[in-house]
Amino acid sequence: MPEIRNITIKNWQDIIDLKVREDQKTFVASNLYSIAQSKFGDEYEGHWDLYPFAIYDDDKPVGFLMYALNFEHPTHQAFIQRLMVDENFQGKGYGKFGMNWMLDLFRADERIKMVGISYEPHNEVARKLYAGLGFVETGRIVDEETEAMLKLH
Ligand SMILES: CC(C)(COP(=O)(O)OP(=O)(O)OC[C@H]1O[C@@H](n2cnc3c(N)ncnc32)[C@H](O)[C@@H]1OP(=O)(O)O)[C@@H](O)C(=O)NCCC(=O)NCCS
């Protein structure tokens, strides 16, 4: 059964070893970059705190996710900043599991009215995954990525 675990002193090196396929490298930053970034947060129309986690299955690390929160932001208060599944474990439901785990967390928090996400315009797997969960494209391009939103509250 898949599960989400914290990134700790014990597992962070296993998590930075997870890699996407060569042709997917432009779709997502490395886990090493994301874990470094999570220490400082993100500055996009205000300050966002970053929360990185690992996706596991039976004690085996298979993927990584990171979300951002800013309860002061006028349009969306949560943003799915990163999602990746290692090239050897893709297509087995782990990405969708990670997405649903984040969305359940957000749904439990009344302060989160809207969730944002963005992806490279030709990342069809990501587009379909997010559209299937209810994300609607806004028509905006942010940092050369297609932006989509999901209304929760
Ligand atoms: C996008 C990504 C996180 C999805 O995770 P995953 O574990 O491979 O995907 P899942 O097995 O959970 O499948 C999610 C959906 O995508 C579809 N899908 C998965 N791999 C696919 C593929 N190679 N081709 C077509 N569809 C695919 C599945 O059919 C599923 O749809 P369904 O629920 O309607 O059946 C993963 O492929 C990945 O890490 N890609 C590279 C990095 C990336 O693009 N990250 C997202 C940046 S925005």
Side-chain angles (χ1 to χ4, degrees):
M1 275 286 289
E3 57 174 328
I4 302 297
R5 292 193 191 172
N6 287 319
I7 304 210
T8 67
I9 192 168
K10 293 219 187 303
N11 69 1
W12 71 273
Q13 297 187 69
D14 295 335
I15 305 311
I16 66 173
D17 284 343
L18 300 175
K19 300 274 155 46
V20 296
R21 287 200 317 260
E22 198 59 39
D23 62 296
Q24 297 173 327
K25 290 225 158 106
T26 57
F27 293 161
V28 68
S30 72
N31 294 344
L32 178 59
Y33 181 93
S34 296
I35 292 169
Q37 190 184 21
S38 73
K39 301 294 165 199
F40 305 103
D42 194 33
E43 285 185 317
Y44 168 73
E45 299 174 348
H47 179 87
W48 295 78
D49 287 319
L50 299 176
Y51 299 89
F53 290 92
I55 308 171
Y56 272 75
D57 196 0
D58 280 342
D59 272 343
K60 192 173 56 208
V62 297
F64 174 82
L65 58 82
M66 184 162 82
Y67 61 85
L69 297 179
N70 174 357
F71 298 121
E72 311 298 318
H73 196 276
T75 60
H76 55 288
Q77 298 70 41
F79 189 83
I80 293 167
Q81 188 107 6
R82 263 336 97 70
L83 176 69
M84 67 80 72
V85 171
D86 182 88
E87 59 182 334
N88 298 309
F89 304 106
Q90 292 181 9
K92 298 175 190 289
Y94 297 127
K96 200 171 191 175
F97 174 83
M99 283 297 296
N100 278 317
W101 181 81
M102 286 187 275
L103 295 180
D104 285 349
L105 268 182
F106 301 156
R107 274 193 197 98
D109 191 330
E110 286 288 335
R111 293 170 298 181
I112 301 175
K113 312 289 182 205
M114 193 85 93
V115 183
I117 201 160
S118 72
Y119 40 89
E120 293 235 337
H122 52 282
N123 190 348
E124 284 304 323
V125 173
R127 178 199 304 278
K128 277 198 210 132
L129 170 60
Y130 307 145
L133 292 166
F135 282 85
V136 177
E137 293 186 0
T138 63
R140 292 206 315 154
I141 301 287
V142 178
D143 284 342
E144 295 173 32
E145 293 199 337
T146 304
E147 181 188 71
M149 294 279 167
L150 173 66
K151 187 168 167 27
L152 291 187
H153 295 113

